[in-house]
Amino acid sequence: QVHLVESGGGLVQPGGSLRLACAASGSIGILRYMGWYRQAPGKQRELVAAISAGTTNYADSVKGRFTISRDNAKNTVYLQMDSLKPEDTAVYYCNFQDLLFATYWGQGTQVTVSS
């Protein structure tokens, strides 16, 4: 059984920073894709950032402010979020996909940007 455990969410003021982490536990295969998504109230879930085969991809709204990275040895992906804005407020989910295209989701962590 594979579980993804997220951490690092919370309340931060506009302009502040947070670092999210997502670690996989259990028997998981080689990961080909690791990504972060978010869902704000009343909106669809959207891709924030992803990393695959050493290539990163970002939503236009977070380019230059967010950085995704991974630690393969720990099966962990990180999302460094800087210069946070109120519109970044959402539940953030991590998503892993292995070489057999099995997909796993984290439980979500709340990020609130407010003064």
Side-chain angles (χ1 to χ4, degrees):
Q1 190 80 8
V2 175
H3 295 282
L4 303 188
V5 179
E6 299 161 356
S7 60
L11 172 65
V12 64
Q13 292 186 342
S17 299
L18 284 174
R19 188 189 192 212
L20 305 183
C22 176
S25 63
S27 179
I28 193 167
I30 297 173
L31 296 169
R32 69 171 192 90
Y33 173 94
M34 305 168 90
W36 286 97
Y37 295 72
R38 67 186 181 188
Q39 187 167 18
K43 294 187 177 181
Q44 290 189 333
R45 190 172 299 188
E46 63 174 357
L47 174 67
V48 176
I51 185 166
S52 177
T55 299
T56 57
N57 181 39
Y58 296 93
D60 288 343
S61 59
V62 306
K63 282 181 181 176
R65 300 188 297 122
F66 291 11
T67 303
I68 189 171
S69 61
R70 63 186 289 177
D71 185 332
N72 291 331
K74 296 181 179 180
N75 283 333
T76 299
V77 65
Y78 304 95
L79 185 68
Q80 177 66 41
M81 306 186 293
D82 298 318
S83 302
L84 283 161
K85 304 176 181 180
E87 50 263 44
D88 294 318
T89 295
V91 178
Y92 284 69
Y93 300 88
C94 58
N95 172 263
F96 289 4
Q97 298 176 20
D98 66 19
L99 291 179
L100 299 179
F101 295 92
T103 299
Y104 307 95
W105 287 94
Q107 80 285 357
T109 185
Q110 177 69 46
V111 171
T112 302
V113 185
S114 175
S115 56

